[in-house]
Amino acid sequence: MPTASDVLRIARAEVGYDRYSDPERGTKYGRWYEQQVDGPGGYDYGANGVAYCAMFASWVLDRARVKCAGFPGAYCPSIHHKQTLTASQLKAGDIVLFDWEDDGTDDHVGIVVSNDPVAKTVETIEGNTSGGKVAVRTRAYSTICGGIRPDYDGEAATTGAKEVTQQLVVDVADGKWGNDPERRQKLEAAGYDYEAVRLAVNAWVRGGSFGAAKPATYLIAAKSGVNVRTGAGTGNAKTGKAYAKGAKVEVLETKAVGADFWGRTKDGWFAIRYGGDTYAKAV
């Protein structure tokens, strides 16, 4: 069976690749994705200037013959809902996604080389970083919005600790597990990874992307406002409701539709990002 070592061996061999030194159009990973995954008539992933971090990870996983939820993929927000790991749970060979602006939208992806829980950092191999290269980077836990463990054993891998569920996050945040140090002792005695629970609860409290689905507040930035639709995507009917510029709305759920990003409120769905333009920003 393929292993994490296989993935890291393949990824390390790519370190130093530079999109600007590639003699052909676009990147080697984009050209591969265009041919093997997207096919004719789709988005031109092999074009110059296309971000390739997710396609690099997809290429490495494909070469290692490893299956992974969310892959192959080219758009980080579309991979978001496959995340099951917090920063402290990440191990060598895992996929890690980053949120630079802490706005709940995944911006970048890499492959974990090692995890330092004391320094709260992970070492990674990433594509489309350090000026367009494949490079080894060190990233802080605070930039991580989640992780995915590839199927190295033919089955979904586990962390060795109980799953951090939405109900657990809610209960801990509501004080049902008490306060530290008693809370830590209770969680560890019950089989939970305390650091994983802590990070999940903190993310939930600030309306982040991991843990229970606490509503996040978005500020409408489009000059003309946004229309509310019955579903995510312009193919869905308008409800007749609209949000004006400057309005603040609570988003209960987000969803990627191709390269666009949509949010659901109590009224319906509206475009957060559409056609490359930002219509709303998390606040």
Side-chain angles (χ1 to χ4, degrees):
M1 290 289 183
T3 66
S5 295
D6 294 324
V7 166
L8 292 176
R9 172 179 50 80
I10 294 168
R12 285 192 181 99
E14 297 301 304
V15 171
Y17 170 86
D18 184 350
R19 69 182 306 157
Y20 299 108
S21 298
D22 192 318
E24 299 183 47
R25 179 173 178 265
T27 67
K28 64 184 288 186
Y29 314 107
R31 295 191 295 270
W32 166 83
Y33 195 90
E34 179 76 21
Q35 181 179 16
Q36 300 295 325
V37 180
D38 189 52
Y43 183 82
D44 192 0
Y45 290 103
N48 292 329
V50 178
Y52 71 87
C53 59
M55 293 187 288
F56 164 71
S58 298
W59 182 91
V60 170
L61 291 167
D62 179 78
R63 290 296 187 276
R65 299 294 184 264
V66 175
K67 294 181 179 180
C68 183
F71 290 86
Y75 184 55
C76 292
S78 296
I79 302 168
H80 168 81
H81 296 290
K82 302 299 183 181
Q83 298 172 31
T84 60
L85 305 172
T86 58
S88 66
Q89 294 175 305
L90 294 169
K91 297 180 179 180
D94 288 343
I95 302 299
V96 57
L97 289 107
F98 303 96
D99 179 359
W100 304 138
E101 299 171 345
D102 197 24
D103 61 359
T105 300
D106 305 50
D107 299 305
H108 188 58
V109 63
I111 301 170
V112 176
V113 175
S114 63
N115 191 338
D116 185 342
V118 176
K120 298 190 184 309
T121 60
V122 293
E123 183 177 280
T124 61
I125 299 174
E126 304 167 14
N128 200 39
T129 188
S130 298
K133 298 179 177 62
V134 175
V136 176
R137 302 298 303 269
T138 298
R139 303 292 192 185
Y141 277 12
S142 60
T143 65
I144 295 172
C145 52
I148 309 168
R149 182 151 301 149
D151 186 6
Y152 290 121
D153 299 320
E155 299 178 357
T158 63
T159 64
K162 285 186 178 179
E163 179 186 1
V164 180
T165 64
Q166 175 175 321
Q167 188 59 55
L168 176 68
V169 169
V170 173
D171 289 346
V172 172
D174 287 344
K176 295 181 180 179
W177 287 77
N179 298 312
D180 284 334
E182 179 188 22
R183 174 172 52 196
R184 179 170 192 151
Q185 293 170 348
K186 286 182 177 180
L187 287 166
E188 291 180 342
Y192 293 104
D193 179 332
Y194 172 78
E195 184 65 15
V197 175
R198 187 187 67 80
L199 290 171
V201 172
N202 287 347
W204 178 78
V205 168
R206 68 172 185 265
S209 58
F210 185 87
K214 181 181 178 182
T217 302
Y218 277 75
L219 175 70
I220 305 303
K223 291 182 179 179
S224 58
V226 293
N227 291 309
V228 179
R229 296 179 179 270
T230 57
T234 54
N236 295 285
K238 297 177 182 178
T239 65
K241 177 80 174 180
Y243 300 132
K245 181 182 179 181
K248 291 183 178 180
V249 295
E250 281 195 336
V251 174
L252 307 174
E253 177 185 358
T254 57
K255 183 177 183 180
V257 180
D260 303 322
F261 196 55
W262 291 73
R264 181 176 67 83
T265 71
K266 61 182 178 60
D267 301 310
W269 291 84
F270 74 97
I272 294 174
R273 187 171 59 248
Y274 181 77
D277 294 325
T278 298
Y279 285 66
K281 298 180 179 179
V283 296

